[in-house]
């Protein structure tokens, strides 16, 4: 009998997406008739705007889109993404510097696969989105965590980054607004971090997927524009998922210097070829149109954000900083760990989240998924009534902890 492992070491080291797992469990309980309220999903609860859907419908009738198209994306979409990047970030790129990917996720994966050699180090500010560690690991890279907490609003300082830098550091991953914390770096903070990266010859991979979801006077700053000294060592990741409520359409992109984009396109040409043409034409309508749909969503998210922060902070043992962007809150629940609740004594935020799902039928994602145990991530991209009901249930249950 062969002693070789059935699954390769590389792939068996990948963990299941914890956020999708929580979502799947909540949906399964719901399907079984239990009234679960899910704070797990990272997607807007709005439908995709009609004009975008109409563009997709029209594309299905055009025989040109029934065939393979260039692996790197439809030329008209690449051009529109370049124009949108200039409009929203003030960053000038050619269409040839754009690679259209199957969602932002594929852009994340391909960026690291293209930039990293084995043992190259990537500075990752924790709490971080669950996909980054796996993409870095698959590329053979080594993740170096720079851990932040609620006392700084989950923002990292240049000093912290410098303390984590070694001669093997190749990339700084910069995510603002952040998933899971909603933290947004100010222009000054962004410039300071970008200049430090440039001075140390680092690459910056910047994930700008939440660029349009900022609240209360907060402004989004693209590090690529704010720090010209970075030159061509910047790779921007973005997509239509969050801005246009298009998570299911699977269109994202990567922008970078021509050699990086060419290499990443070669990789994509063997992995997936072109993204579905119908989805690309929907994305074309999205990025060429105005931003009124996202303005409407932003208003609703802002209202829910404020409700959620207020309600969570009223729960003894929960401490919730106000997020400035994206659609997540990231409260600390450290004070509740080890307390008795319904005859149990959860020893971690993961155990507490499980108990909450069973006892209150409320799904939250534990901080373990984001590299910082002791916290929960709750998405506020769900209806106002469900949001209030879910947090009330949470408050009622957690009040029993002693
Ligand atoms: C920070 C961040 N980047 C990228 C993505 C990728 O989104 P998609 O693959 O749906 O375009 C997500 C989705 O949750 C995200 O939160």
């Amino acid at each position: 009998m062969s002693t070789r492992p059935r699954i390769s070491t590389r792939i068996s080291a990948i963990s299941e997406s914890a956020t999708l797992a929580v979502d799947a469990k909540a949906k399964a309980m719901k399907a079984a008739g239990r009234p679960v309220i899910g704070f797990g999903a990272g997607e807007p609860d709005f439908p995709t705007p009609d004009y975008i859907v109409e563009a997709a419908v029209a594309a299905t009738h055009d025989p040109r889109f029934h065939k393979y198209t260039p692996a790197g994306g439809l030329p008209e979409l690449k051009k529109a993404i370049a124009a949108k990047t200039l409009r929203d970030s003030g960053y000038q790129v050619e269409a040839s510097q754009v690679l259209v990917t199957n969602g932002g996720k594929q852009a994340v994966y391909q960026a690291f696969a293209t930039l990293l050699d084995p043992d190259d180090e990537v500075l990752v500010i924790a709490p971080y989105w669950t996909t980054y560690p796996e993409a870095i690991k698959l590329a053979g890279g080594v993740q170096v965590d720079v851990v932040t907490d609620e006392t700084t609003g989950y923002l990292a300082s240049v000093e912290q980054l410098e303390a984590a830098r070694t001669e093997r550091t190749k990339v700084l991953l910069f995510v603002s607004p952040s998933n899971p914390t909603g933290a947004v770096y100010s222009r000054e903070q962004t410039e300071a971090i970008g200049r430090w990266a440039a001075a140390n010859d680092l690459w910056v991979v910047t994930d700008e997927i939440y660029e349009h979801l900022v609240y209360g006077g907060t402004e989004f700053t693209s590090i690529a524009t704010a720090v010209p000294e970075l030159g061509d060592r910047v790779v921007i990741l973005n997509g239509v998922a969050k801005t246009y409520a298009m998570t299911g359409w699977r269109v994202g992109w990567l922008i970078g210097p021509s050699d990086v984009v060419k290499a990443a396109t070669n990789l994509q040409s063997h992995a997936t070829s072109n993204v579905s043409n119908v989805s690309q034409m929907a994305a074309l309508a999205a990025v060429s149109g105005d931003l009124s749909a996202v303005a409407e969503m932003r208003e609703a998210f802002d209202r829910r954000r404020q409700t959620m922060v207020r309600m969570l902070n009223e729960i003894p043992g929960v401490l919730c900083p106000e997020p400035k962007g994206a659609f997540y809150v990231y409260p600390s629940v450290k004070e509740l760990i080890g307390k008795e609740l319904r005859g149990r004594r959860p020893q971690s935020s993961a155990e507490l989240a499980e108990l909450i799902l069973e006892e209150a039928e409320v799904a939250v994602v534990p901080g373990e998924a984001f590299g910082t145990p002791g916290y929960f991530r709750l998405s506020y991209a769900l209806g106002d009534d469900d949001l209030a009901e879910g947090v009330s249930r949470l408050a009622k249950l957690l009040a029993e902890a002693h």
Side-chain angles (χ1 to χ4, degrees), residues 293-322:
V294 67
E296 259 172 58
M297 283 201 298
R298 189 168 48 229
E299 216 178 289
F301 289 152
D302 192 13
R303 188 178 61 238
R304 297 170 189 173
R305 173 185 75 113
Q306 294 177 38
T307 308
M308 195 141 187
V309 170
R310 181 177 42 77
M311 288 181 77
L312 285 171
N313 277 324
E314 283 167 3
I315 305 175
V318 176
L319 200 126
C320 185
E322 185 184 73

Side-chain angles (χ1 to χ4, degrees), residues 42 103-105 129 132 175 179 207 209-210 241-242 247 250 328:
K105 255 183 195 171
W129 180 46
Y132 302 131
V175 187
N179 173 6
D207 186 336
I209 204 153
Y210 294 101
K242 318 286 175 172
T247 48
R250 312 310 304 139
Y328 310 99

Side-chain angles (χ1 to χ4, degrees), residues 133-172:
E134 308 304 335
I136 293 166
K137 213 162 37 179
L138 271 172
V142 176
Q143 173 173 337
V144 175
D145 286 359
V146 176
V147 181
T148 64
D149 63 23
E150 64 278 18
T151 61
T152 62
Y154 305 107
L155 296 171
S157 64
V158 167
E159 291 70 31
Q160 273 182 297
L161 294 168
E162 176 59 20
R165 186 177 64 85
T166 73
E167 65 215 27
R168 293 229 50 97
T169 310
K170 180 167 182 187
V171 177
L172 165 69

Side-chain angles (χ1 to χ4, degrees), residues 88-100:
D88 298 340
S89 309
Y91 195 58
Q92 179 115 36
V93 289
E94 301 297 324
S96 60
Q97 289 176 260
V98 178
L99 165 60
V100 180

